Amino acid sequence: MLVSPMMQQYEDAKAACPDALLLFRMGDFYELFHEDAREAARVLGLALTSRDKGEKRTPMAGFPYHQLDAYLGKLIAAGFRVAICEQVEDAKAAKGLVRREVTRIVTAGTVTDDALLDPRTCNFLAAVLENDTQAGIAWVELSTGKFQAACFPRARLSDELARIAPAECLASEEARAPSALGEGVRLTRRPAWSFSDDIARNVLCKHFAVSTLDGFGFEDGDTLAVCAAGAVLGYLVETQKASLAHIQALARYSPGATLEIDGATRRSLEITCTLRDGARAGSLLGVIDRTVTAMGSRLLADWLANPLVAASAIDKRLDAVAELVAEPALCDVLVDHLRAVYDLERLVARVVTLRASPRDLSFVCRTLARLPQVKAKIAARHSALLTAIEGRLDLCCELRASLERALADECPLVSREGGFIRDGYSSELDGLRDLTSGGKRWIAEYQAAEAERSGIANLKVGFNKVFGYYLEVTHARGSSVPGHYIRKQTVKNAERYITPELKEHEERVLAADEQARELEYTLFCQLREEVAAHAPRLQRTAGALAELDVLVGLADLARKRGYCRPTMVEESILQIVDGRHPVLDSLIGQGAFVPNDLCCGGADGFSLLVTGPNMAGKSTFIRQVALMTLLAQMGSFVPARSATIGIADRIFARVGASDELARGQSTFMVEMTETARILNLATPRSLVILDEIGRGTSTYDGLSLAWAVVEFLHDRVGCRTLFATHYHELTQLAGVLTGLRNLNVAVREWEDDVVFLHKILPGAADKSYGIHVARLAGVPGWVLERAKQILAQLENEHLDAKGRAKLARTNSGSRANDLQLSLFAAEEHPMIEALRLLQLDETSPRAAHDWLAEWKERIRG
């Protein structure tokens, strides 16, 4: 079957990217064919037509070119790779078929279009390479050029991927899929050779124009990270088909410099998104984000995902925030200037990849115009960080002057249409514009002269793209048409004519207009190249603006929400006065949240067991401690009257119930898996918060596990631990574990009602008030009354004469004689030891009777 030249061109382009949907530019439309058309019609709701009308029909679907962003976003969201095949030569200059080429392949991790990206969120492309013990990860943000890589123990791979949160992850086609890829992450298989050491190093060295990677700080043990980085860069070269000069360096990420937070903890604490719907609003990030630029918002998210562990680095940030808190007027002025700043990071990326518009260049110019005021305002600051930011703000005066001379006040999105170069910038362009505008004046004068010469008062000169300029005369005045007029077209009620003089002038005007547009495009390309040449300086300036925006935002948060500067110490302590949950405190309104104190570490005990009723605030209390620690190590003030916070190396949180049925894991299995990670990885410098461990199984099973977990964290790890529980039996451990203290959430009983005071007090709670909470939830009265009867019966069976739980009672307060502990430890029951020591031959019947009576009484309690 013969294939038309057009379809052969399509088939060749499709063969170059068979795993992508091909958008084939035909005039003013993007068209898809064959199976691509069927898929696009299904996902985008397009009409499915056919190109050929014979027996062999070719399915076809398409949409107007100006709707590309909208449809491209839907295709990427649906998980497709999309290849865009453009016309790469002017149809007017083409000899025969217009040449077309695939100009880029768009995937989830390589999106750079503003319309497809959340300006506040980074869009990372990652690559993973594993061996038996290690994992190398590289990740890049194409829209800004940030590129990092590192090696981690393989067991930490899922935690690091949770921290990076890539939109797309590359893996060798010969390797198994990376474990624990986040939900919605696109996995892309790549040839194994693209991850090889030689290929990766060649790709990286060629891009950075170096002969060795030694200068980037990578060591002999970082081979997996280098291979992953080479695979990432090779993928970008293949898909983008444009300059990647804005990727200026490959940074070696140093894991030990940041607080480690595993994926389960990030979810439990809702650091960047909520558990319920994955939204930013309602998360810690959503509450503390007071930035006014997209660059600042992304950097804040990065700081929150990677809190610091070095006291000097943390204090450097806190010093800057403190200085800004003390100068609200300065902050107000800086906010005004920062609001006028555009997303310089992504603007530079679009310039370098040749996807910038005239409007983008004007935004660069407007941003540069704000820099002198910003730089002047933060000059002579006291804090080292603000001083460093001021030094990194490069005014780029020569670039700004060039852009201001060249660009009009308002610039269009499309560079080919012209109208954005300022008058006076180019004498050649001014001449062409004069000819064009002068030609239009000539047309008006010519129309008036011809109307007077012919005596046809309603004669007019018109123009259309098909026939060009023409003279139009109504049929009623047809007899008055001069003889030298040449009839061109008949329309309703009129005839259209041309004259040699009119045609000659038309050619001059149209040629000048076309030449002006071409010259403007040439000037635009020169300006774009000039901006690209300043890319490194602009990127440094963008980073400084983002950092300033974050610090000003944190200062505004601290001032308006009443946050205090935390004192950071190396000792594993937590001393907090009137601490508040940062999210709830913001959501329920100023002053409505009940603050609480905390003393943890040293003589105050490092293991805190929190008991109290449902809905009283146990989970809120332990969460707020973790969130305040995280905020402090990020460099933020914290919601408290005062706070002394010992720097943690890791934060672990096991809060709430969830399952992973797709992986065959029940709620309890997930709980135990996460608990196991904490017990195996926590160190004495860690902060651990646990909520309701053991509730997913039978009462005695769960209590046994919870008891053993508390003991392990106290005896074997020795870290700061907040353990919220309904197992009141565990409170007896305060008598035998020297570092454990009991806390409880206060309630007040009034007749048959309970008032939750949300206040944390020393001591143990003795009730959970679950039936009361059930009543508040609307459980039927019959169920509540029957539950009370059953509760009374159970308590009667399991409490001793003093109202203590028999399971957890102690005899003398010493751990050696604690009968309950013997259920969990490797010790023998004390009665066995007593029997072993009993001398039967020397024991009288009366003494034996008394001995048995004593042990019977001890067992009964």
Side-chain angles (χ1 to χ4, degrees), residues 135-273:
I137 312 177
W139 59 101
V140 65
E141 225 279 355
L142 181 59
S143 69
T144 62
K146 294 179 180 177
F147 192 15
Q148 293 178 283
C151 279
F152 304 91
R154 189 177 178 190
R156 283 182 51 194
L157 176 59
S158 61
D159 295 337
E160 296 303 325
L161 288 175
R163 176 182 62 82
I164 299 166
E168 182 179 5
C169 186
L170 310 179
S172 169
E173 58 190 8
E174 295 182 0
R176 61 184 177 183
S179 56
L181 274 182
E183 185 177 351
V185 178
R186 164 92 184 199
L187 176 63
T188 300
R189 293 295 191 175
R190 298 288 293 157
W193 56 259
S194 66
F195 285 86
S196 68
D197 192 11
D198 290 344
I199 296 294
R201 289 182 185 276
N202 286 338
V203 169
L204 292 168
C205 288
K206 180 179 179 181
H207 175 78
F208 294 116
V210 296
S211 58
T212 175
L213 298 177
D214 293 346
F216 291 94
F218 289 92
E219 301 171 354
D220 292 341
D222 293 326
T223 299
L224 292 178
V226 171
C227 291
V232 164
L233 194 57
Y235 184 69
L236 292 179
V237 171
E238 179 182 312
T239 58
Q240 298 310 291
K241 305 180 186 301
S243 170
L244 299 173
H246 65 299
I247 302 177
Q248 296 283 325
L250 172 61
R252 183 179 183 272
Y253 177 80
S254 179
T258 58
L259 177 68
E260 294 182 24
I261 310 171
D262 61 36
T265 299
R266 292 181 189 277
R267 292 192 299 273
S268 294
L269 295 180
E270 300 182 298
I271 295 173
T272 57
C273 60

Side-chain angles (χ1 to χ4, degrees), residues 784-803:
L784 299 176
E785 291 304 316
R786 178 58 180 148
K788 289 179 182 178
Q789 296 170 10
I790 297 170
L791 177 62
Q793 181 179 347
L794 292 173
E795 287 181 339
N796 184 58
E797 292 174 356
H798 292 86
L799 298 179
D800 62 18
K802 296 183 180 180

Side-chain angles (χ1 to χ4, degrees), residues 486-545:
I486 303 170
R487 194 168 64 84
K488 188 71 175 177
Q489 183 186 17
T490 301
V491 295
K492 185 178 180 181
N493 298 325
E495 293 285 342
R496 291 176 176 174
Y497 303 87
I498 62 169
T499 65
E501 188 179 11
L502 182 60
K503 190 64 177 177
E504 180 184 349
H505 191 79
E506 172 192 285
E507 291 173 356
R508 288 201 305 269
V509 169
L510 293 181
D513 196 37
E514 182 66 25
Q515 290 170 16
R517 283 198 298 270
E518 286 298 322
L519 179 56
E520 274 201 80
Y521 181 74
T522 299
L523 296 173
F524 164 74
C525 291
Q526 292 172 357
L527 289 171
R528 188 174 61 190
E529 290 175 5
E530 187 176 355
V531 174
H534 287 76
R537 297 170 65 184
L538 293 172
Q539 285 179 319
R540 285 193 297 273
T541 296
L545 288 170

Side-chain angles (χ1 to χ4, degrees), residues 57-78:
R57 294 190 174 186
T58 302
M60 177 179 178
F63 54 84
Y65 77 96
H66 57 81
Q67 294 179 346
L68 175 63
D69 285 347
Y71 285 120
L72 186 58
K74 292 179 181 179
L75 291 173
I76 297 300

